[in-house]
Amino acid sequence: MSETIVRSFEPSDRQRLNDLFARAGAGSPSGELWGHAESERAIYLDPYVELEPESLFLAERKGELVGYLTGCLDSSRLPSEDERFTRAVTEHRLMLKPRVMGFFLRSLTDMLAARLRREQTAAGDFSDERWPAHLHINVIPEARGTGAADALMHRWLDRLAEAGSPGCHLQTLVENTRATRFFERMGFTAHGPTPLVPGIRYEGRRLHQLTMVRPASAD
């Protein structure tokens, strides 16, 4: 089995990283949001590349990029997810794209139904001084189970330790059991409620957000 190499991001990797972003989530519950990769990237990848590239790591096998981990040591340094989302909607004119409009209408329906049921919905960023750092990790389907995700995560945990971070959080989906098992193995534990994520479906099912946390002392 070919060895996975984890290295820091370089500006020359940008186009290959963009291509990887479009492929990496395939087959997982979080693999596709509203079906417009460029605007999704503007929220979940581009700000990290631009504002904290030193926290971006790439996994390579046989010269091919197979995964990435992007993080932020202090989440307050980034614009909020709501701000990034609003900007993406405007810049990419998402309201004019029929497929995306279907997602937004389904999101609105979900939120209204949840209000009637008095069910909580996911909203806003997670903020807690005990776990100020956060991360996003993605690996292409062909590289899952090869150790690529483990190698990326260990590189990130080393960065947290070197920076003296008190802890880290992440958000995934309750229904993404493969991911939650991986994060648990890496020392993360579930924290707080599991609200509905409006608009998103996987195999026809509604999905729920799961926040997980890991103190620096987890090792």
Side-chain angles (χ1 to χ4, degrees), residues 31 66-67 69 101 106 142-143 164 167 184 195 200:
V66 298
L69 184 152
M101 276 301 300
R106 189 167 64 245
E142 302 93 310
E184 287 170 351
I200 300 179

Side-chain angles (χ1 to χ4, degrees), residues 20-204:
L20 176 63
F21 177 86
R23 308 169 49 208
S28 74
S30 57
E32 184 175 292
L33 302 177
W34 47 88
H36 186 263
E38 190 175 357
S39 61
E40 292 172 11
R41 194 180 71 231
I43 300 169
Y44 298 110
L45 179 61
D46 293 349
Y48 298 86
V49 176
E50 293 159 7
L51 298 175
E52 196 168 330
E54 61 273 21
S55 290
L56 175 53
F57 303 107
L58 306 178
E60 264 187 354
R61 295 175 67 83
K62 296 182 178 180
E64 178 190 5
L65 292 186
V66 298
Y68 70 89
L69 184 152
T70 188
C72 183
L73 293 176
D74 180 356
S75 299
S76 66
R77 288 188 56 198
L78 257 68
S80 72
E81 186 170 327
D82 286 344
E83 290 176 298
R84 287 177 274 146
F85 180 80
T86 299
R87 181 176 176 181
V89 168
T90 302
E91 291 187 351
H92 295 278
R93 300 183 179 182
L94 297 184
M95 291 302 184
L96 301 179
K97 301 182 186 300
R99 182 178 180 184
V100 179
M101 276 301 300
F103 170 85
F104 289 142
L105 290 173
R106 189 167 64 245
S107 296
L108 179 60
T109 300
D110 283 349
M111 287 188 286
L112 292 174
R115 182 175 298 179
L116 290 174
R117 293 192 297 266
R118 298 185 178 180
E119 180 182 4
Q120 186 177 0
T121 56
D125 294 306
F126 176 84
S127 178
D128 192 305
E129 63 183 8
R130 293 172 292 179
W131 307 289
H134 75 270
L135 69 100
H136 299 283
I137 184 170
N138 266 313
V139 174
I140 62 172
E142 302 93 310
R144 293 170 193 165
T146 66
D150 295 62
L152 284 165
M153 184 64 80
H154 286 304
R155 183 68 174 268
W156 170 245
L157 296 177
D158 287 345
R159 174 156 172 73
L160 292 179
E162 291 163 3
S165 173
C168 179
H169 71 273
L170 60 88
Q171 290 180 318
T172 184
L173 296 169
V174 173
E175 293 78 8
N176 194 347
T177 54
R178 183 186 183 103
T180 57
R181 287 195 298 267
F182 167 73
F183 293 132
E184 287 170 351
R185 184 161 55 81
M186 291 292 148
F188 288 83
T189 57
H191 177 80
T194 55
L196 173 73
V197 182
I200 300 179
R201 297 290 188 275
Y202 179 66
E203 296 180 347

